[in-house]
Amino acid sequence: MKNSNASKLSFWKIVAAVIMICGLYSSYIRFTKGLGASTHLSDSIPWGLWIGFDFLGVGLAAAGFTIAVMVHVFNIHKFEPIVRPAILTAYIGYTLVVLLLIIDLGRPQNFWHPLVMWNLHSVMFEITWCVICYSAILTLEFAPVVLEKYNLTAPIKILRKISIPVVILGVIFSTLHQSSFGSLYLIVPGRLYPLWYSTLLPVNFYISCIAAGLSMIIFESYLNARAFNLGLRLDILSGLAKIVLYVLIIGFLVRITDMIITGKTPFLFLPRTETYMFYAEVIVGTFIPVYLLSQAKYRKSRMWLYVISIFTLSGFVLNRINVAVTGLVASSKTSYFPSFDEISITMMLVVLGMWAFKLVSTKFPVFVELENLKEEKLPEDSREMILSE
Amino acid sequence: MSCSGMQFASYVTNKNNNKRINIMVALFVVFTFIILIVIDIVVLKAQKRKHPAFADAAKAVFNKNSLSLPERIFVSKGHTWAELVPGGFARVGVDEFVLKSLGKISVNYIAKEQTLVKQGEVIFQGTSGKGSFSFRSPIDGVIQDVNRNLTNIQDPYRNDWGVIISPSNWADNTKSLKNGQALVSWLKDEFSRLKDFLAVNSMNTELAGVTMHDGGNIMEGAVTYMKAEGLKNFENEFLTF
């Protein structure tokens, strides 16, 4: 892939450069002066924007396993063209999360401890190992793309033979740790605001990450189309949008049923900031997307698909930050807003992620279509050679 | 966990916390996300470009895998096809590759019946966008019939064939035509060649809506966005043999 514009200075390149400089400076402050000097975190609020970003990064990367299982296990080959971008997104998402976790650790030099010092009763232990294992799985899933570039056919054949077990393992690890992020908050029933606290948090996290991951792929397709002048496969994106619709409905029904059963509905009418934030999250991330997605004209519209994905992603962002920050602030008796260093490091990682995606996409065959020829089984007189589905 | 009345009461009475959480991190993150999207749209507008979400929705895309072709056809290097039909005649038309490249073809000339044609001679002409293109016979023979209903080519292998020829040199002619798996491989190569061609000849690749990248899609009718010289080059490189 050639990119003649690589050396041209553009608005976004300047913005990215400024963000990178600020981020590197903040990283220097964080590693030389510690978390106290670089963040607004405290003993009352030990988890802030960075943990929220971890939730977002992992959740948005959920399309990696969702698309892989649809194509490789359920044989829905319609989505094959987006398998590689989805896996690359997941790979980069997880790498960024790991990087941010290391920055967020009080003693980053001890990041390797969970590998050898096992605490089998800790949710964090499960998350750590699942993230490590799933990152390894993603490496195996993405390896053929790199091997293809260098025409290394022998290892590709081996990877193809083990592809289905690898994908299934990936689904298992993803399911475990996507839900485990919700499990993390089961230990704070008295602190997390009741509208977000639920024993079904792991289930809620898992369901919502599928909708968010697929929406992220839709949103990302537009970014790719914009960055690489790629065409949009609206047929595929509309198919994804339909799945998002069902998942959003299921997620909302599970959540509202749980609230009714556990007697939390009075909190819906309490005039508090948390209540307003809850409504914002549900209206933006569920009601509006469900209304729009339930109508084919919006689901098949190039513009509306983009708008809907923004709504769904915004709702997902609100949900995760509400759980990680908003829902805990009231019980902590203090306020929290991220420091400049927290914001600049977070934005630096976003820029790094986008750069990584662009770099890999331009160096390796990420955007490929079905190469295998298939014969459609038609009557003899009208039989055609079909180059793809 | 069931919500206790005490827990609810504590939140009802404890309203001071509302002030403490007045700065909402969640809103900050969401608004940052949305503001960046809006800025991007504004930047694109300033550059007189369109965001893909607001681009011409009517433009479909195609790629080397999205074409189908009848099993029995033979295709020339000029992207015209011939297929033997009962009676020893050959039906001739334009292939889908050219149709998708040009987007739409309006036919304005078809050679007359009983005309003797040689392989490579013009049998019909059409226009697409600002360009006029000639399509050449894939075989030698005498034109026996023409498709009088042919005005716009939309269904190139069934209803929108061009002429029926009585072949005079079928065996020799087909040696230079592509069929079967050779045709499939050749068409894939033609896609790569088309991408390179668009990269070289398009003054504004974004207007053409194409990608020059590995495996990317090409917008239907991408060729018609080129200037006169590019259209002429397309005919020379893809329709002439």
Side-chain angles (χ1 to χ4, degrees):
Chain A
M1 196 185 282
K2 296 163 193 166
N3 192 350
S4 58
N5 294 324
S7 59
K8 283 185 186 171
L9 208 58
S10 68
F11 172 78
W12 286 116
K13 281 179 186 168
I14 295 168
V15 171
V18 172
I19 290 172
M20 283 304 294
I21 291 167
C22 294
L24 287 171
Y25 170 75
S26 297
S27 303
Y28 170 76
I29 298 291
R30 186 265 166 268
F31 283 113
T32 54
K33 298 188 176 174
L35 287 174
S38 56
T39 71
H40 285 168
L41 298 172
S42 62
D43 288 343
S44 302
I45 303 182
W47 289 354
L49 177 68
W50 287 345
I51 288 295
F53 182 81
D54 288 335
F55 285 178
L56 294 178
V58 168
L60 296 176
F65 80 87
T66 315
I67 301 288
V69 79
M70 281 199 289
V71 172
H72 295 303
V73 178
F74 297 122
N75 288 322
I76 308 174
H77 288 289
K78 175 184 174 184
F79 297 117
E80 182 126 15
I82 54 172
V83 168
R84 289 181 174 189
I87 289 174
L88 178 59
T89 305
Y91 205 9
I92 291 171
Y94 275 80
T95 309
L96 294 181
V97 166
V98 170
L99 277 175
L100 192 54
L101 277 173
I102 291 172
I103 293 170
D104 200 10
L105 287 175
R107 293 182 180 178
Q109 69 274 18
N110 293 341
F111 78 92
W112 53 272
H113 278 194
L115 293 173
V116 289
M117 300 173 191
W118 291 18
N119 179 1
L120 298 175
H121 301 289
S122 167
V123 176
M124 292 292 271
F125 173 78
E126 185 204 336
I127 290 176
T128 306
W129 268 95
C130 283
V131 168
I132 292 168
C133 291
Y134 187 54
S135 299
I137 296 285
L138 284 170
T139 308
L140 290 176
E141 287 181 340
F142 195 70
V145 180
V146 180
L147 296 169
E148 263 178 34
K149 166 90 175 175
Y150 301 107
N151 292 321
L152 299 169
T153 50
I156 290 176
K157 280 180 186 169
I158 297 170
L159 286 170
R160 278 190 183 152
K161 277 182 185 170
I162 61 167
S163 65
I164 290 183
V166 164
V167 168
I168 292 171
L169 267 178
V171 174
I172 292 169
F173 287 124
S174 297
T175 305
L176 283 170
H177 78 262
Q178 292 282 2
S179 55
S180 299
F181 273 130
S183 308
L184 268 184
Y185 286 87
L186 293 182
I187 59 174
V188 287
R191 289 195 61 192
L192 184 60
Y193 194 73
L195 283 177
W196 290 291
Y197 181 83
S198 162
T199 48
L200 288 182
L201 259 179
V203 179
N204 292 338
F205 265 50
Y206 182 66
I207 296 173
S208 58
C209 84
I210 293 173
L214 296 178
S215 298
M216 184 63 194
I217 287 296
I218 296 173
F219 181 74
E220 189 185 274
S221 298
Y222 285 83
L223 289 185
N224 294 334
R226 183 215 180 292
F228 303 122
N229 293 332
L230 287 172
L232 284 168
R233 289 287 302 270
L234 282 184
D235 54 333
I236 292 178
L237 301 185
S238 297
L240 288 181
K242 203 167 187 177
I243 300 171
V244 172
L245 169 67
Y246 295 138
V247 177
L248 284 176
I249 292 171
I250 292 168
F252 178 72
L253 290 178
V254 168
R255 217 169 154 189
I256 201 72
T257 307
D258 176 53
M259 288 181 82
I260 293 167
I261 290 171
T262 55
K264 287 179 185 163
T265 45
F267 286 95
L268 292 171
F269 307 102
L270 210 55
R272 290 178 61 92
T273 313
E274 289 94 334
T275 312
Y276 308 139
M277 289 303 291
F278 177 82
Y279 280 125
E281 170 192 322
V282 173
I283 290 170
V284 169
T286 305
F287 288 174
I288 294 174
V290 165
Y291 170 74
L292 294 172
L293 287 170
S294 60
Q295 299 180 60
K297 64 176 177 181
Y298 295 125
R299 210 167 52 234
K300 292 177 179 174
S301 156
R302 169 183 287 255
M303 185 193 79
W304 281 106
L305 265 180
Y306 184 63
V307 173
I308 292 167
S309 72
I310 292 171
F311 270 112
T312 313
L313 291 175
S314 299
F316 178 75
V317 170
L318 284 171
N319 172 257
R320 291 302 194 261
I321 307 277
N322 279 342
V323 172
V325 181
T326 315
L328 290 170
V329 171
S331 61
S332 67
K333 313 289 182 191
T334 182
S335 60
Y336 166 78
F337 190 81
S339 68
F340 170 80
D341 291 331
E342 284 177 88
I343 294 168
S344 65
I345 288 175
T346 308
M347 294 193 81
M348 177 184 74
L349 288 172
V350 173
V351 169
L352 277 177
M354 294 180 90
W355 277 357
F357 192 94
K358 189 164 187 178
L359 184 71
V360 176
S361 302
T362 49
K363 299 291 178 196
F364 298 100
V366 173
F367 299 106
V368 293
E369 299 276 349
L370 278 170
E371 291 297 333
N372 300 328
L373 304 180
K374 292 187 177 179
E375 281 199 7
E376 197 173 84
K377 300 299 177 195
L378 296 170
E380 193 61 31
D381 58 341
S382 62
R383 201 164 158 217
E384 291 184 340
M385 289 182 297
I386 306 292
L387 286 138
S388 83
E389 292 181 326
Chain B
M1 186 197 82
S2 167
C3 175
S4 70
M6 276 180 67
Q7 191 185 18
F8 182 70
S10 73
Y11 282 111
V12 171
T13 53
N14 187 8
K15 289 186 178 176
N16 292 334
N17 288 327
N18 284 346
K19 291 175 185 171
R20 294 199 180 105
I21 53 174
N22 54 355
I23 302 170
M24 305 306 298
V25 182
L27 289 179
F28 167 73
V29 176
V30 167
F31 284 138
T32 305
F33 173 58
I34 291 169
I35 286 168
L36 289 174
I37 291 169
V38 172
I39 291 174
D40 188 41
I41 292 169
V42 172
V43 168
L44 283 174
K45 202 165 186 178
Q47 294 171 344
K48 295 182 179 170
R49 294 163 62 194
K50 271 190 177 177
H51 189 281
F54 308 104
D56 186 354
K59 293 293 176 194
V61 294
F62 72 112
N63 57 46
K64 62 188 175 187
N65 301 310
S66 62
L67 298 183
S68 61
L69 52 154
E71 198 175 31
R72 292 181 300 218
I73 64 166
F74 290 80
V75 178
S76 73
K77 288 182 180 174
H79 289 280
T80 45
W81 56 267
E83 178 189 22
L84 281 177
V85 292
F89 299 111
R91 189 182 286 151
V92 172
V94 175
D95 78 1
E96 197 179 5
F97 174 87
V98 163
L99 177 61
K100 299 270 186 182
S101 301
L102 297 176
K104 193 166 67 176
I105 301 172
S106 300
V107 177
N108 54 20
Y109 164 78
I110 307 180
K112 290 178 180 162
E113 288 175 17
Q114 302 307 319
T115 306
L116 180 69
V117 290
K118 293 274 184 193
Q119 190 178 46
E121 286 182 357
V122 175
I123 46 171
F124 42 90
Q125 291 176 324
T127 57
S128 183
K130 292 174 184 171
S132 180
F133 304 93
S134 296
F135 301 97
R136 293 156 201 282
S137 176
I139 54 171
D140 301 335
V142 178
I143 295 176
Q144 295 295 327
D145 194 8
V146 299
N147 185 355
R148 289 178 180 78
N149 297 323
L150 186 63
T151 50
N152 291 309
I153 299 177
Q154 292 172 332
D155 183 12
Y157 301 125
R158 289 190 175 88
N159 297 323
D160 297 336
W161 51 274
V163 296
I164 289 179
I165 293 176
S166 174
S168 59
N169 200 11
W170 177 261
D172 273 355
N173 287 158
T174 51
K175 285 178 187 170
S176 62
L177 305 180
K178 307 287 182 188
N179 175 248
Q181 284 303 310
L183 173 57
V184 171
S185 303
W186 176 72
L187 267 180
K188 289 188 172 184
D189 292 340
E190 285 292 274
F191 266 98
S192 301
R193 205 159 71 87
L194 179 61
K195 282 180 186 174
D196 290 342
F197 174 82
L198 290 168
V200 172
N201 287 273
S202 293
M203 294 298 289
N204 184 347
T205 55
E206 290 188 25
L207 188 63
V210 299
T211 171
M212 311 313 160
H213 310 301
D214 302 323
N217 298 320
I218 300 171
M219 196 170 277
E220 286 187 21
V223 170
T224 57
Y225 285 94
M226 290 190 295
K227 292 189 174 174
E229 191 183 348
L231 298 173
K232 192 71 191 163
N233 289 342
F234 178 78
E235 175 154 356
N236 290 337
E237 291 195 30
F238 288 91
L239 305 182
T240 309
F241 58 102

